[in-house]
Amino acid sequence: MPCPRGDETCEGEDFKSKTLLRMDSLHMESGTIHGHTHLPSRDTKDWYVILQLAFQSIGIVYGDIGTSPLYVYSSTFTDGVKDNDDILGVLSLIFYTLTLIPLFKYVFIVLKANDNGDGGTFALYSLICRYAKVGLIPSQQAEDREVSNFRLELPSSRSLQRASKLKSKMEKSNFVKFFLLFATMLGTSMVIGDGVLTPCISVLSAVNGIKEAADSMTEDKIVWISVAILVCLFMVQRFGTDKVGYSFAPIICVWFALIGGIGVYNFIKFDPTVVKAINPKYIIDYFTRNKKQAWISLGGVVLAITGTEALFADVGHFTVRSIQNGLYWPMFVVAVLASIIASQAMISGTFSIIQQSLALGCFPRVKIVHTSMKHEGQVYIPEVNYLLMLACVGITIGFRTTKKIGNAYGIAVVFVMTLTSSFMVLVMIMIWKTHILLVISYVVVIGSIELLYLSSVLYKFDQGGYLPLAFALVLMVIMYIWNNVYRRKYYYELDNKISPGMVKDLATNTNINRIPGLAIFYSELVHGIPPIFKHYMANVPALHSTLIFVSIKSLPISKVPVEERFLFRRVDPSDLYVFRCVVRYGYNDVRFEEEPFERLLVERLKEFIREGMMMIPILTPSNGDTVSVELQEGLIYSEHENEDTTRIEEGRRCKEDVDKDIEKVDRAALAGIVHLIGETEVIAEKGSGFGKKVLINTFYNILKRNLRQTDKVFDIPHKRLLKVGMIYEL
């Protein structure tokens, strides 16, 4: 037979006849299945959808950006304006702060580090985890890097030794791994704290404006009006970002038109020379005149970073007394509505970041509701929504004024910015391989500015600045407890997993009956079968005719295309009809809410069996290379036709086996699908220290008892659900 490769390596023993083999390995990821195409990227969405999302963003995102005039100057000049040039000095500070931080840092640098269109602290952490093995859960698989969204676009023209050394040191250091997770949790907690403070300061600032027209309006009345507005705001969250965005966008458009028009009016009529603030000399003069007070006032200036689009409207709003009386009340109503909408941006952001942390095992189980079938990533979390509402009401009643809330708000904003810059340095060195001089320039310019602002806001720690830190501390304790026990459980299952030989012994045990049906056994263990299965078999001596061990795995990416989601492996011997499946999700994926999960799982299992036959090596050269099916067909009808007839028969028998396997799976599915979930109780092992016992036996179990159960999170039908209980001694 001629050598298919055209060289001499096939001479002698040309080909060895070999029994048809199935690709029973997770190395055959579904991304290689014929006929599948990747999901279209976000760039391919039609303009109609893009315009819809842009319109919604006016009501959700730009609402927060456009309401900074409500509180920036009042938080900066808490004791009033002592010199008219101070106004120009602060305006100059705002101008250059907006230019360097939101524009230069975020628009030109940070936004490039998005995770397939998603941002935030967890997105940066995910990027780093994908490049370096710094995650604390050993669930990585080689196949994960074949997922299209997982791949990083790394510079191909240069490979710096500095990046490799840093990556190696990080991967070897447990301290670095824990510190990165700690910093991520801190950033997440601060963002959630921001989501509490934004509604408070925005609504309270707007309602406070009523004092200008109604002297009888007392502080108590303002507080309770604000509380009522906040309660209404959180009550409408269940309708979802889609509907809320459409409702709010027109109001924000009116708000922008009003503050823009007032700004232009005041600029022309009162003081066109305000453009002098572009000269940074006024910043120097401001610090020269006010010294320490100028440094302290930076805590108010930094609030402008939450409102980049309101740059030129700040001066117009500051001269509010020049507004005619006939325009005051319409402006007041729109300002209140705009402040409500401004709060929506951070509430939606809080939902998103909790969804990300939940997927990566850093937050207790909560119900994630995807509120839009048309647009991805729009979520609502009922429990978190009501907790945010209670926190906002409590802060509004407790603090009563925007001065202390502004101090707290500044700390939350600057802390998140500083953490983002720290992560960006790692991304620039390791992933982008940026020139070291550019990295140093970034640290010196951006880092020094942010540290200056951080020192200013921390000065007001005892004047309300402690609130976000206290709030973050509580959240971090909850996240740490949950993540710590989550990792301990995973390692326990990994150390006590069932070997393939034990599975074979269990399945072939004559005392165990095989009953019709298909059983889906859920776990989070990726490498192997969890020990709870042995516990189940010891108490229920019956095994369904087809069994699938489903491992739910979260990848450090935002989304996993559906056609690349499933990885299958067949557990030997094949006549047991036992399969392992890893179902991979990104932290923004909809879980179990597309078409029924069980139907999709069965269809992908049959595709795996079918594609296993299509990719079988029938002929193998002496050097071990696999010959494609197409090439085999050409070789079969070569000069050795008689010799290859046996192989044709083997192929036919293999096809019959595949048809038989698919028929077996179909019969099992028709007989009934049962979902088995392990409900594990965890306790500290004997001899554990006092701290470990308190952590696991007390705090973790309190959290677990007061949160949603696994079946409610996965939305599994109760009529076909079977829970298997077991105690893990960690």
Side-chain angles (χ1 to χ4, degrees):
M1 181 181 297
C3 178
R5 292 172 52 194
D7 57 26
E8 298 178 357
T9 57
C10 299
E11 293 182 358
E13 185 183 0
D14 290 340
F15 291 91
K16 293 183 287 183
S17 181
K18 191 171 184 178
T19 306
L20 295 175
L21 298 175
R22 301 187 190 280
M23 301 295 285
D24 292 341
S25 170
L26 295 178
H27 293 290
M28 174 189 162
E29 20 69 31
S30 55
T32 60
I33 292 178
H34 303 294
H36 284 170
T37 57
H38 296 314
L39 291 177
S41 67
R42 297 183 180 182
D43 294 335
T44 62
K45 291 182 177 178
D46 56 54
W47 279 103
Y48 176 71
V49 175
I50 294 174
L51 289 174
Q52 278 186 314
L53 293 174
F55 181 72
Q56 288 184 36
S57 71
I58 295 174
I60 300 300
V61 178
Y62 291 102
D64 185 27
I65 293 174
T67 53
S68 293
L70 290 170
Y71 45 77
V72 170
Y73 269 100
S74 62
S75 298
T76 303
F77 297 109
T78 54
D79 298 324
V81 180
K82 298 178 181 179
D83 191 307
N84 286 336
D85 282 348
D86 287 350
I87 299 174
L88 294 176
V90 169
L91 181 58
S92 186
L93 272 170
I94 293 173
F95 176 78
Y96 286 103
T97 300
L98 288 169
T99 302
L100 290 172
I101 304 298
L103 182 62
F104 178 74
K105 174 188 169 182
Y106 281 91
V107 175
F108 293 142
I109 300 177
V110 175
L111 287 182
K112 293 182 180 179
N114 69 84
D115 185 13
N116 296 304
D118 290 283
T121 309
F122 261 100
L124 291 174
Y125 179 68
S126 298
L127 284 176
I128 295 171
C129 286
R130 280 154 59 189
Y131 180 77
K133 295 180 180 178
V134 293
L136 293 173
I137 298 293
S139 60
Q140 297 89 354
Q141 292 174 291
E143 293 89 346
D144 294 341
R145 298 190 176 276
E146 299 301 319
V147 177
S148 56
N149 291 348
F150 196 96
R151 303 163 194 158
L152 293 173
E153 296 182 3
L154 302 176
S156 56
S157 60
R158 58 183 183 272
S159 178
L160 299 181
Q161 189 176 7
R162 186 185 306 108
S164 300
K165 285 184 178 180
L166 180 59
K167 176 183 175 183
S168 177
K169 289 181 179 179
M170 290 176 62
E171 290 178 341
K172 293 177 182 178
S173 173
N174 284 328
F175 172 78
V176 171
K177 295 178 181 179
F178 277 102
F179 183 78
L180 283 175
L181 182 62
F182 169 83
T184 304
M185 288 182 177
L186 178 60
T188 302
S189 302
M190 283 293 180
V191 170
I192 297 173
D194 203 355
V196 173
L197 294 171
T198 299
C200 298
I201 192 171
S202 298
V203 173
L204 201 55
S205 296
V207 177
N208 258 321
I210 202 172
K211 286 183 178 180
E212 297 291 332
D215 295 333
S216 61
M217 185 62 63
T218 64
E219 187 178 271
D220 286 340
K221 290 180 181 179
I222 290 173
V223 168
W224 287 110
I225 291 173
S226 301
V227 167
I229 292 173
L230 288 170
V231 171
C232 293
L233 170 65
F234 284 100
M235 287 300 177
V236 301
Q237 294 302 312
R238 62 188 181 90
F239 296 111
T241 307
D242 192 27
K243 295 183 179 64
V244 173
Y246 275 119
S247 303
F248 285 174
I251 301 172
I252 285 297
C253 290
V254 174
W255 166 254
F256 282 151
L258 285 175
I259 61 175
I262 293 169
V264 172
Y265 173 81
N266 289 334
F267 176 78
I268 295 173
K269 184 173 182 178
F270 292 98
D271 191 8
T273 61
V274 75
V275 294
K276 294 186 296 184
I278 296 177
N279 187 347
K281 174 182 178 297
Y282 286 95
I283 298 177
I284 299 172
D285 293 342
Y286 177 66
F287 276 91
T288 303
R289 277 192 308 273
N290 298 281
K291 298 180 174 61
K292 182 179 178 181
Q293 288 302 316
W295 169 69
I296 295 173
S297 70
L298 291 176
V301 175
V302 77
L303 299 182
I305 293 178
T306 64
T308 55
E309 292 295 330
L311 173 63
F312 295 108
D314 254 341
V315 179
H317 186 81
F318 184 73
T319 55
V320 67
R321 293 182 180 177
S322 65
I323 302 174
Q324 299 174 353
N325 290 333
L327 189 60
Y328 176 80
W329 285 107
M331 187 66 187
F332 170 75
V333 172
V334 175
V336 172
L337 293 175
S339 68
I340 296 171
I341 299 164
S343 309
Q344 181 63 42
M346 283 312 305
I347 295 172
S348 300
T350 300
F351 292 156
S352 297
I353 201 165
I354 288 178
Q355 180 195 19
Q356 296 174 13
S357 56
L358 174 68
L360 298 178
C362 295
F363 201 85
R365 287 194 302 261
V366 289
K367 179 68 173 179
I368 304 290
V369 179
H370 291 261
T371 57
S372 175
M373 298 299 292
K374 297 182 294 182
H375 308 304
E376 303 170 344
Q378 297 186 358
V379 297
Y380 165 68
I381 307 176
E383 297 97 329
V384 174
N385 183 62
Y386 290 117
L387 289 175
L388 286 177
M389 182 183 71
L390 293 175
C392 284
V393 170
I395 291 171
T396 303
I397 295 174
F399 279 59
R400 305 180 72 82
T401 65
T402 58
K403 180 179 178 181
K404 289 186 177 180
I405 298 177
N407 295 338
Y409 193 31
I411 287 183
V413 170
V414 181
F415 248 105
V416 174
M417 290 194 309
T418 307
L419 284 172
T420 299
S421 293
S422 302
F423 277 112
M424 280 305 305
V425 171
L426 292 177
V427 171
M428 286 161 54
I429 294 176
M430 286 198 311
I431 301 176
W432 294 351
K433 298 179 175 61
T434 307
H435 195 283
I436 191 62
L437 292 179
L438 294 177
V439 177
I440 293 174
S441 300
Y442 175 84
V443 172
V444 170
V445 177
I446 301 299
S448 60
I449 293 173
E450 291 178 346
L451 289 176
L452 181 62
Y453 276 120
L454 184 62
S455 65
S456 176
V457 295
L458 287 176
Y459 178 80
K460 300 178 181 179
F461 179 83
D462 60 340
Q463 302 174 36
Y466 59 84
L467 183 63
L469 296 178
F471 193 76
L473 179 62
V474 173
L475 281 173
M476 286 187 64
V477 168
I478 294 174
M479 295 171 73
Y480 171 78
I481 292 171
W482 189 266
N483 182 260
N484 183 278
V485 179
Y486 175 84
R487 286 186 281 108
R488 290 177 186 270
K489 284 173 58 181
Y490 192 93
Y491 277 104
Y492 179 89
E493 291 185 342
L494 190 63
D495 294 338
N496 295 276
K497 65 181 180 181
I498 299 176
S499 65
M502 187 177 295
V503 175
K504 180 180 178 181
D505 293 340
L506 289 172
T508 56
N509 191 333
T510 55
N511 295 325
I512 296 177
N513 299 317
R514 298 299 293 266
I515 58 177
L518 188 150
I520 303 175
F521 207 114
Y522 296 91
S523 77
E524 292 180 331
L525 183 66
V526 174
H527 303 288
I529 298 172
I532 201 168
F533 177 65
K534 183 179 179 181
H535 180 71
Y536 166 77
M537 295 298 297
N539 291 275
V540 183
L543 190 65
H544 291 78
S545 56
T546 301
L547 180 63
I548 307 175
F549 290 97
V550 174
S551 299
I552 307 299
K553 178 179 180 180
S554 294
L555 293 184
I557 56 178
S558 59
K559 292 186 178 297
V560 176
V562 176
E563 67 271 15
E564 302 177 15
R565 182 163 293 165
F566 294 85
L567 298 177
F568 282 98
R569 176 180 176 178
R570 192 163 191 164
V571 179
D572 291 327
S574 59
D575 57 0
L576 292 178
Y577 290 96
V578 177
F579 300 88
R580 282 180 52 212
C581 174
V582 176
V583 186
R584 304 177 295 185
Y585 288 94
Y587 50 74
N588 279 342
D589 276 323
V590 182
R591 300 193 182 197
F592 304 94
E593 289 187 17
E594 51 260 353
E595 58 180 292
F597 174 76
E598 58 188 33
R599 185 192 309 163
L600 187 62
L601 180 68
V602 171
E603 289 301 317
R604 291 307 169 96
L605 174 60
K606 291 191 290 186
E607 285 184 18
F608 165 76
I609 296 172
R610 208 174 285 119
E611 294 293 336
M613 179 214 173
M614 297 296 296
M615 300 178 69
I616 295 166
I618 298 179
L619 302 176
T620 304
S622 59
N623 65 351
D625 287 348
T626 301
V627 182
S628 67
V629 174
E630 291 80 3
L631 180 59
Q632 292 164 15
E633 291 175 352
L635 293 174
I636 286 174
Y637 296 103
S638 63
E639 56 190 59
H640 301 285
E641 292 180 5
N642 295 333
E643 186 178 317
D644 293 330
T645 301
T646 305
R647 298 171 191 170
I648 297 175
E649 292 299 323
E650 289 177 350
R652 288 175 180 169
R653 284 197 299 271
C654 177
K655 187 177 183 304
E656 292 174 359
D657 290 341
V658 169
D659 293 339
K660 177 183 174 183
D661 289 345
I662 292 177
E663 183 183 357
K664 179 88 172 178
V665 171
D666 284 333
R667 284 204 310 267
L670 289 173
I673 298 177
V674 177
H675 301 263
L676 297 108
I677 291 181
E679 280 295 318
T680 56
E681 294 292 332
V682 297
I683 60 173
E685 61 183 353
K686 295 180 180 179
S688 299
F690 175 76
K692 186 177 179 180
K693 289 181 179 178
V694 172
L695 175 73
I696 298 176
N697 298 350
T698 305
F699 291 130
Y700 176 79
N701 284 312
I702 289 175
L703 286 174
K704 189 172 183 290
R705 282 194 296 269
N706 288 279
L707 294 168
R708 291 184 180 265
Q709 299 301 310
T710 309
D711 58 300
K712 294 181 180 178
V713 175
F714 289 159
D715 201 21
I716 296 173
H718 284 255
K719 293 182 179 179
R720 293 185 281 113
L721 172 66
L722 180 62
K723 293 184 179 181
V724 182
M726 184 176 177
I727 297 177
Y728 285 3
E729 294 187 6
L730 305 180

